[in-house]
Amino acid sequence: MSFRRAVRLMCGFAGGSGVLVYAASAAESRGYFGETQGERQWFKTGLAIIHAAQPSVLLSGNNSVQPSGNGWDSNWDKRDPASLLNGKKKESTGDDLATEVENNKPKATRHILLIRHSQYNLSGSEDKERFLTPLGREQAELTGQRLAVLGLKYDILVHSSMTRATETARIISKHLPGVELLSCDLLREGAPIRPVPPVGHWKPDAVQYHEDGARIEAAFRRYIHRADVKQKEDSYEIIVCHANVIRYFVCRALQFPPEGWLRMGLSNGSITWLTIRPSGRVALKVLGDSGFMPPDKLTST
């Protein structure tokens, strides 16, 4: 084969499949390409570039993405019935233990609706000055209306104790009469874990990650878990808090790498819906839904 023809063929490979690249590599290894030593070296260099440009899954002959190898931890919330009974009933074996495990299995599903606070005054130097803007109050009204329209029987509305979350929760609660309102310091905004990849515009120090991370993880363990065995009916619980907290909760609940939390974005007043089955399986029904707001009301500050 002439050198020029080999070059044209190689250019065609660049836009073709990995199978052709493999064939070209095999032909080159048998000395079919190149008429002089310099031409052969040039072809090897070009072929190496084409190899690098091809997806590894194609070069390996496998068109599907390989699984990470990380399995699902069914006892992620430390509430698996078998683990709760471990050591408590050492004398129980066989059928007795199986019956005990069955009796301690949760029966209800928990639905947790995570609401990001509405737009607030960014120029405030301290928390009490970071109150909702007029637009933020409109957003909270729209979120409250949306939650009411869903027609669910809400059990509780928990909110961060920060001003912007407290005001958002109070406006929402007007649309949900009879739902208990509860404040919690654990849900305050913070830096849950150093994000990967890092960002240049936001760099908390190690101490903040250390302190905030422990607090936000404590909030996750308090609020995100399967139902207690005593809970007989499915529950719908609302948590009004902050973008960092919600994104971290989602990663942890789905057993995704928690350091990936900053790869998601949430609009003000948006709804994120997690479902936790009695078995401990978790589903993300909605992430950052804000489609109920008019376009001119959308913000993500």
Side-chain angles (χ1 to χ4, degrees):
M1 181 182 292
S2 71
F3 176 67
R4 290 182 179 178
R5 185 177 178 187
V7 171
R8 288 196 298 272
L9 182 60
M10 185 165 62
C11 290
F13 290 161
S17 71
V19 175
L20 289 178
V21 175
Y22 177 82
S25 179
E28 186 275 334
S29 68
R30 290 170 172 76
Y32 297 157
F33 293 155
E35 298 171 344
T36 68
Q37 183 175 358
E39 291 170 349
R40 284 195 296 274
Q41 183 59 41
W42 186 95
F43 188 87
K44 288 179 179 179
T45 301
L47 191 59
I49 294 172
I50 295 174
H51 268 286
Q54 294 294 320
S56 59
V57 291
L58 291 180
L59 292 178
S60 66
N62 187 348
N63 291 316
S64 61
V65 176
Q66 296 301 303
S68 66
N70 298 324
W72 175 260
D73 177 10
S74 60
N75 193 29
W76 59 274
D77 59 352
K78 309 306 177 189
R79 286 171 167 80
D80 181 80
S83 68
L84 290 174
L85 292 173
N86 186 31
K88 293 183 179 180
K89 297 280 186 179
K90 291 184 178 180
E91 68 280 4
S92 298
T93 57
D95 294 340
D96 290 341
L97 183 59
T99 300
E100 198 72 24
V101 170
E102 187 65 30
N103 291 338
N104 281 274
K105 283 184 178 180
K107 303 297 189 293
T109 294
R110 294 184 68 214
H111 298 272
I112 303 170
L113 288 82
L114 302 160
I115 314 298
R116 189 190 176 194
H117 61 78
S118 302
Q119 186 192 63
Y120 67 101
N121 174 34
L122 291 172
S123 61
S125 59
E126 53 185 329
D127 180 60
K128 66 180 181 180
E129 297 175 352
R130 295 170 184 163
F131 44 78
L132 297 186
T133 64
L135 175 57
R137 300 186 72 81
E138 289 185 62
Q139 291 170 338
E141 293 282 359
L142 291 167
T143 303
Q145 292 169 14
R146 174 59 176 170
L147 292 170
V149 166
L150 291 176
L152 302 173
K153 183 182 177 182
Y154 300 107
D155 295 86
I156 194 170
L157 197 168
V158 186
H159 62 86
S160 157
S161 58
M162 297 186 83
T163 300
R164 53 189 182 271
T166 299
E167 291 186 349
T168 300
R170 287 174 178 170
I171 293 173
I172 289 174
S173 69
K174 293 190 303 181
H175 299 272
L176 307 173
V179 177
E180 181 184 0
L181 200 60
L182 180 66
S183 178
C184 179
D185 289 335
L186 292 178
L187 294 167
R188 295 172 72 89
E189 184 63 302
I193 187 173
R194 196 178 301 277
V196 177
V199 293
H201 63 279
W202 186 70
K203 294 183 177 180
D205 56 32
V207 173
Q208 185 175 355
Y209 281 121
H210 179 69
E211 294 179 350
D212 290 353
R215 173 178 53 77
I216 295 171
E217 173 63 19
F220 173 81
R221 296 185 186 191
R222 173 177 291 187
Y223 294 110
I224 313 298
H225 55 79
R226 75 191 78 186
D228 186 89
V229 67
K230 296 177 181 179
Q231 181 177 325
K232 303 304 180 183
E233 298 182 355
D234 293 353
S235 60
Y236 294 86
E237 304 158 48
I238 302 170
I239 299 177
V240 179
C241 54
H242 309 269
N244 295 359
V245 177
I246 294 171
R247 292 180 287 188
Y248 178 78
F249 280 10
V250 168
C251 287
R252 285 282 284 111
L254 297 178
Q255 298 186 25
F256 292 165
E259 64 271 19
W261 63 272
L262 199 50
R263 302 171 199 172
M264 296 177 275
L266 299 173
S267 297
N268 295 114
S270 62
I271 301 172
T272 295
W273 187 333
L274 285 172
T275 295
I276 307 176
R277 301 296 181 190
S279 64
R281 292 201 176 189
V282 181
L284 179 64
K285 296 190 69 172
V286 173
L287 176 66
D289 176 30
S290 55
F292 52 87
M293 292 191 187
D296 61 339
K297 305 297 182 184
L298 293 173
T299 60
S300 57
T301 56

